[in-house]
Amino acid sequence: MTNTLVTLESRPSGAVQESNFGLKTEAIRELKDGEFLVAIEALSMDPAIRGWMNAGTTYIKGIELGTVMRSFSAGKVVRSKNDSFQIGDYVEGMLGAQTHAISDGSGIRIIDISNSKITHHLGVLGMPGMTAYFGLLKKGEPKPGDIIYISAASGVVGSTVGQIAKIKGCTVIGSAGNDAKCNFLVEECGFDYAINYKTEDLNSKLKEYAPDGVHIFYDNVGGETLDTALLNLARGARVVICGAISQYNDMGNIHGPANYMKIVTARGYMTGIIVFDYVKEWPEAAKEIAGWIYEGKINVKEDVVHGLENYTDTLMMLFTGKNFGKLILTV
Ligand SMILES: NC(=O)c1ccc[n+]([C@@H]2O[C@H](COP(=O)([O-])OP(=O)(O)OC[C@H]3O[C@@H](n4cnc5c(N)ncnc54)[C@H](OP(=O)(O)O)[C@@H]3O)[C@@H](O)[C@H]2O)c1
């Protein structure tokens, strides 16, 4: 039996390139006591992967050259010498970008796929869904009647934030990069307004939809988007910095936020969210989100590509806006 894996061969400067990765096949070794073997079915393609390819440590250590690409992955246990993980169990965790992974169970959770797709556990019921849940509820502190603006709103994080905000009684504005994504936000996710930031003027649209400013800005984009949103804060606004995808390819030369003094005049605050800080609370949050999906209050959209050989092109989709929904690479 062999394992095929995607490795990090060089660190990108700017956008990722095919030459940054290797695709290798190697024999799978025997299991030691306490270990099990997972046949991976799907990988979560996340914007954070670009940051993990840099040298050094941020909230997590950079991936070492020559090793398997770090990835949240899900699959089925096919061999086991660990009593807690039986053959046939479905599991999810940082199992890497590969067809098979050996694990001792650290950080791996068994998932129930009787009522959900395995891919949901990498998206809305996995790390990105948890990011939306805790970023909004713990950091954004939504109240009924609040107006929230979400950037990169059509992705799994943004669309989940917006739909939870609707459940909490907020007016929801999202921005996205094309009309199809904007239609999805309004028609399928129940957003009140969607702004195509490529064809419409973000500042004037925010002023039109929130004349007195937004109470929460949930930012996934950074850069100019963050600067424009800062011009449109209501008094007491919360700015939740979840991500800055417009900046990830050039982290040494970050743009903004030039308008940060608007936080002072708004008597607001700007705060960051790292989803891993809430790991102990993930199971309860996933249960609540699953309930909302079951009740039809949360709509899930996935964009699925097949084949590890398409790893580079698939990862690049996140940075060109070609993905539409939670990006998954099936194995
Ligand atoms: N803090 C945490 O713990 C944590 C955890 C998970 C994710 N995140 C962050 O959450 C954000 C969303 O993640 P996701 O998985 O849901 O990804 P996603 O939104 O599905 O994909 C990224 C989207 O960003 C938009 N984008 C790309 N480059 C852009 C640019 N230069 N300017 C404006 N928009 C751009 C594109 O949509 P358009 O077509 O709309 O441009 C693209 O589809 C990311 O910033 C990610 O890093 C943070």
Side-chain angles (χ1 to χ4, degrees):
M1 209 175 186
T2 58
N3 175 34
T4 300
L5 65 159
V6 179
T7 54
L8 179 65
E9 293 301 316
S10 60
R11 303 200 187 278
S13 88
V16 296
Q17 296 182 356
E18 197 80 49
S19 59
N20 299 132
F21 304 101
L23 190 63
K24 297 177 184 168
T25 297
E26 59 187 28
I28 295 172
R29 66 167 172 79
E30 289 296 313
L31 295 180
K32 297 180 197 151
D33 283 342
E35 291 182 335
F36 54 94
L37 177 69
V38 182
I40 290 172
E41 296 185 12
L43 318 180
S44 174
M45 301 302 285
D46 292 297
I49 293 171
R50 174 63 189 81
W52 299 340
M53 294 173 75
N54 294 334
T57 300
T58 51
Y59 63 94
I60 195 171
K61 215 169 157 247
I63 301 167
E64 280 179 35
L65 289 176
T67 65
V68 66
M69 284 299 297
R70 183 181 296 144
S71 166
F72 280 93
S73 312
K76 192 176 183 177
V77 176
V78 291
R79 289 180 193 164
S80 183
K81 287 190 175 178
N82 182 320
D83 291 342
S84 303
F85 294 87
Q86 305 288 334
I87 290 174
D89 283 346
Y90 280 88
V91 293
E92 183 269 343
M94 277 206 185
L95 291 163
Q98 52 191 341
T99 58
H100 295 80
I102 292 175
S103 170
D104 63 4
S106 311
I108 305 301
R109 60 186 180 123
I110 294 175
I111 55 177
D112 177 3
I113 58 161
S114 54
N115 288 314
S116 53
K117 286 161 68 179
I118 189 168
T119 48
H120 284 178
H121 296 272
L122 296 171
V124 68
L125 299 178
M127 183 276 286
M130 301 302 109
T131 305
Y133 184 97
F134 291 106
L136 175 66
L137 299 182
K138 299 263 192 195
K139 303 287 186 166
E141 301 182 49
K143 292 186 282 300
D146 278 352
I147 304 177
I148 178 170
Y149 163 50
I150 304 153
S151 60
S154 73
V156 56
V157 173
S159 64
T160 308
V161 169
Q163 292 177 92
I164 298 176
K166 282 306 304 175
I167 292 167
K168 299 294 172 188
C170 300
T171 296
V172 179
I173 307 167
S175 59
N178 65 43
D179 288 344
K181 291 181 177 185
C182 287
N183 289 342
F184 162 73
L185 292 176
V186 174
E187 285 160 22
E188 295 180 47
C189 299
F191 280 41
D192 298 277
Y193 307 102
I195 303 166
N196 179 338
Y197 72 90
K198 289 190 178 160
T199 58
E200 298 180 290
D201 180 61
L202 181 60
N203 191 33
S204 54
K205 282 288 160 189
L206 284 174
K207 286 191 165 42
E208 179 184 334
Y209 299 145
D212 298 322
V214 301
H215 303 94
I216 306 170
F217 171 41
Y218 193 101
D219 192 21
N220 294 310
V221 167
E224 281 175 32
T225 305
L226 170 58
D227 268 339
T228 303
L230 290 177
L231 297 174
N232 291 278
L233 299 183
R235 199 166 172 139
R238 288 80 73 196
V239 177
V240 181
I241 304 295
C242 174
I245 193 158
S246 69
Q247 307 295 304
Y248 291 170
N249 282 328
D250 193 8
M251 290 293 277
N253 192 23
I254 288 213
H255 174 97
N259 298 330
Y260 75 93
M261 286 304 286
K262 292 289 177 189
I263 293 170
V264 180
T265 45
R267 286 82 159 168
Y269 64 77
M270 188 188 282
T271 182
I273 152 87
I274 288 290
V275 66
F276 301 113
D277 294 347
Y278 302 96
V279 162
K280 285 192 186 137
E281 297 170 69
W282 285 20
E284 275 308 305
K287 215 180 280 175
E288 189 163 21
I289 294 177
W292 287 329
I293 295 171
Y294 182 75
E295 291 166 19
K297 291 179 178 164
I298 289 195
N299 203 321
V300 180
K301 186 161 185 64
E302 294 183 335
D303 194 343
V304 181
V305 180
H306 180 70
L308 283 181
E309 65 281 10
N310 295 313
Y311 187 87
T312 314
D313 289 347
T314 310
L315 185 58
M316 278 165 60
M317 286 168 72
L318 293 165
F319 298 90
T320 55
K322 281 196 182 143
N323 72 302
F324 188 176
K326 173 61 208 154
L327 189 59
I328 297 281
L329 188 66
T330 54
V331 172

